[in-house]
Amino acid sequence: MAATDIARQVGEDCRTVPLAGHVGFDSLPDQLVNKSVSQGFCFNILCVGETGLGKSTLMDTLFNTKFEGEPATHTQPGVQLRSSTYDLQESNVGLKLTIVSTVGFGDQINKEDSYKPIVEFIDAQFEAYLQEELKIRRVLHTYHDSRIHACLYFIAPTGHSLKSLDLVTMKKLDSKAHLPFAVIGSTEELKIGNKMMKARQYPWGTVQVENEAHCDFVKLREMLIRVNMEDLREQTHSRHYELYRRCKLEEMGFKDTDPDSKPFSLQETYEAKRNEFLGELQKKEEEMRQMFVQRVKEKEAELKEAEKELHEKFDRLKKLHQDEKKKLEDKKKSLDDEVNAFKQRKTAAELLQSQGSQAGGSQTLKRDKEKKNFF
């Protein structure tokens, strides 16, 4: 029998029994209130808009306080999200308020991807909560829930049509921003009649922040804080986070039922995913092994080719060396022949010179002898 059939049967078998006296479970709502008050609440607001549109001023006006924050500049290389958390106390109710602002939104020349950091930030908070939820030892009661409960998109009051950046960003955030409001925020109080009221002074007149005939601030505050704050928190958890959680778990391979529409336990899902992972791991290991073998073969072929080229180069250098050596030997032999011929000519010349000297000496002696005989 399916679980839904069992639940239906149990519901049909329930009977209404009158009580003979006071039991005390009528205090359950009070117990829930006391528990909630003791634990406190958290609320996270994402303010999206260009610098100078009054995001910080509106937050100060909404919560009737002055939030400290660093002034934003127009020199950011990209869109950055700055998160600030504050502990607020009203009567005996505590609220952990987180305000996330978009620094540098709309300041870039190319605004095509300005929405991506915002969407990625929202998904990152869902992912962080999911990872905490999947832990074996969960501490969700003390975990700081940073999921965005409300997204306020600020539009420049130029009176002209929406910018392309506004249209693209609001389309990407379609599941988290719904109603348009014309709001003016101010932390300054001006005396109007006999009362001090939050207002903004313009050259053409005074706009009262809490006057519904002047702007929609009161409607926004009522909708956001007094009426729908808990609903926004619940919608964030039960709708937006659950959708993200379901898609993420389906991507991871988890299912509620098998192909036969039978319940699929977490253990079976884990085993199936584990076997699938091991199969993919073995497949990748085999592919890597084949790739390694192929790389080794290619490297061996490259080394053989390089070795062949080195041998050919060595043979060419060896032949060139032999040719040069032969040329040098031939040249040396030629020089030796020339030296030998020169020595022979030198010896012959010296011999002729010596013979000439001896002949000259004999003739001189002969003349001297003749002279002596004459006298």
Side-chain angles (χ1 to χ4, degrees):
M1 183 179 294
T4 55
D5 296 335
I6 296 176
R8 187 179 301 109
Q9 183 177 354
V10 171
E12 293 174 353
D13 293 341
C14 288
R15 296 178 296 168
T16 302
V17 178
L19 300 179
H22 183 263
V23 177
F25 58 79
D26 59 347
S27 65
L28 277 175
D30 297 331
Q31 295 178 34
L32 291 176
V33 170
N34 294 333
K35 179 181 177 182
S36 299
V37 170
S38 63
Q39 291 181 348
F41 301 88
C42 71
F43 192 63
N44 307 319
I45 301 178
L46 172 62
C47 298
V48 182
E50 300 178 26
T51 305
L53 290 183
K55 299 187 293 296
S56 300
T57 302
L58 179 61
M59 292 298 102
D60 294 344
T61 309
L62 275 175
F63 293 94
N64 197 24
T65 186
K66 178 65 177 177
F67 296 112
E68 300 295 334
E70 299 179 0
T73 63
H74 295 275
T75 59
Q76 297 293 334
V79 179
Q80 299 179 359
L81 282 88
R82 181 183 299 168
S83 178
S84 303
T85 303
Y86 309 92
D87 289 322
L88 304 181
Q89 187 79 21
E90 187 174 29
S91 298
N92 64 334
V93 179
L95 177 67
K96 185 180 290 293
L97 176 67
T98 299
I99 300 175
V100 183
S101 59
T102 53
V103 181
F105 182 76
D107 291 340
Q108 293 75 34
I109 297 177
N110 185 4
K111 304 178 179 62
E112 183 179 358
D113 297 331
S114 296
Y115 70 90
K116 288 186 177 180
I118 302 173
V119 176
E120 291 173 356
F121 178 84
I122 296 175
D123 289 342
Q125 311 318 306
F126 286 153
E127 180 65 23
Y129 191 88
L130 177 61
Q131 293 300 323
E132 181 65 27
E133 197 177 42
L134 292 177
K135 288 182 179 179
I136 297 177
R137 295 183 179 181
R138 300 184 298 179
V139 287
L140 293 177
H141 61 284
T142 59
Y143 175 75
H144 176 56
D145 187 3
S146 59
R147 295 173 297 177
I148 300 300
H149 301 121
C151 175
L152 300 180
Y153 191 87
F154 292 72
I155 301 173
T158 58
H160 302 291
S161 59
L162 293 176
K163 299 178 182 178
S164 299
L165 176 62
D166 299 328
L167 295 174
V168 171
T169 306
M170 285 193 291
K171 184 177 180 181
K172 296 297 180 180
L173 301 174
D174 180 60
S175 59
K176 306 170 179 64
H178 292 283
L179 301 177
F181 292 94
V183 177
I184 293 177
S186 176
T187 57
E188 299 179 1
E189 292 188 350
L190 301 178
K191 187 174 183 180
I192 300 176
N194 297 326
K195 297 182 179 180
M196 297 297 292
M197 299 182 178
K198 287 186 174 63
R200 189 178 288 272
Q201 185 70 46
Y202 292 99
W204 43 265
T206 303
V207 175
Q208 301 175 23
V209 173
E210 296 181 336
N211 189 336
E212 295 188 30
H214 290 186
C215 70
D216 296 331
F217 173 78
V218 175
K219 294 185 177 65
L220 175 63
R221 184 175 61 188
E222 293 287 323
M223 184 276 297
L224 188 64
I225 300 176
R226 294 190 60 184
V227 178
N228 295 313
M229 178 178 283
E230 181 58 28
D231 181 63
L232 290 171
R233 285 160 36 88
E234 179 62 26
Q235 286 291 320
T236 299
H237 180 77
S238 62
R239 180 183 174 186
H240 303 300
Y241 169 71
E242 283 299 320
L243 177 62
Y244 177 86
R245 176 179 175 275
R246 186 184 70 189
C247 295
K248 197 70 176 179
L249 292 179
E250 287 177 351
E251 290 178 1
M252 295 169 64
F254 292 97
K255 299 177 182 179
D256 293 331
T257 58
D258 59 12
D260 298 330
S261 299
K262 294 182 180 180
F264 211 57
S265 67
L266 185 63
Q267 181 66 24
E268 292 175 345
T269 305
Y270 170 76
E271 291 295 336
K273 196 65 180 178
R274 182 175 181 273
N275 294 333
E276 181 183 353
F277 174 75
L278 291 176
E280 292 179 356
L281 188 63
Q282 292 177 355
K283 182 179 178 181
K284 288 184 179 179
E285 184 178 359
E286 181 63 23
E287 291 177 354
M288 293 180 65
R289 192 184 69 81
Q290 294 293 340
M291 185 181 298
F292 176 76
V293 172
Q294 182 65 24
R295 291 281 180 85
V296 169
K297 290 181 178 179
E298 293 176 357
K299 198 66 179 178
E300 288 179 350
E302 291 178 2
L303 291 174
K304 288 182 179 179
E305 185 67 23
E307 184 180 7
K308 181 180 178 182
E309 292 179 357
L310 287 174
H311 281 299
E312 292 177 353
K313 185 176 181 180
F314 175 76
D315 293 338
R316 288 195 301 269
L317 291 175
K318 185 177 180 181
K319 186 176 183 302
L320 181 63
H321 174 71
Q322 291 175 351
D323 294 341
E324 292 292 332
K325 184 178 180 181
K326 187 175 183 305
K327 289 179 180 180
L328 288 175
E329 289 176 353
D330 294 342
K331 191 171 183 180
K332 181 175 180 299
K333 182 178 180 181
S334 176
L335 289 174
D336 289 342
D337 293 340
E338 290 180 1
V339 169
N340 292 330
F342 175 76
K343 286 180 178 180
Q344 292 176 0
R345 289 195 300 269
K346 181 180 179 182
T347 302
E350 289 177 350
L351 181 60
L352 291 175
Q353 185 179 3
S354 176
Q355 291 178 354
S357 298
Q358 291 177 359
S362 299
Q363 292 178 359
T364 303
L365 290 174
K366 185 178 181 179
R367 284 196 299 268
D368 291 341
K369 187 177 181 180
E370 289 178 352
K371 284 182 179 182
K372 287 180 180 181
N373 295 327
F374 178 75
F375 289 106

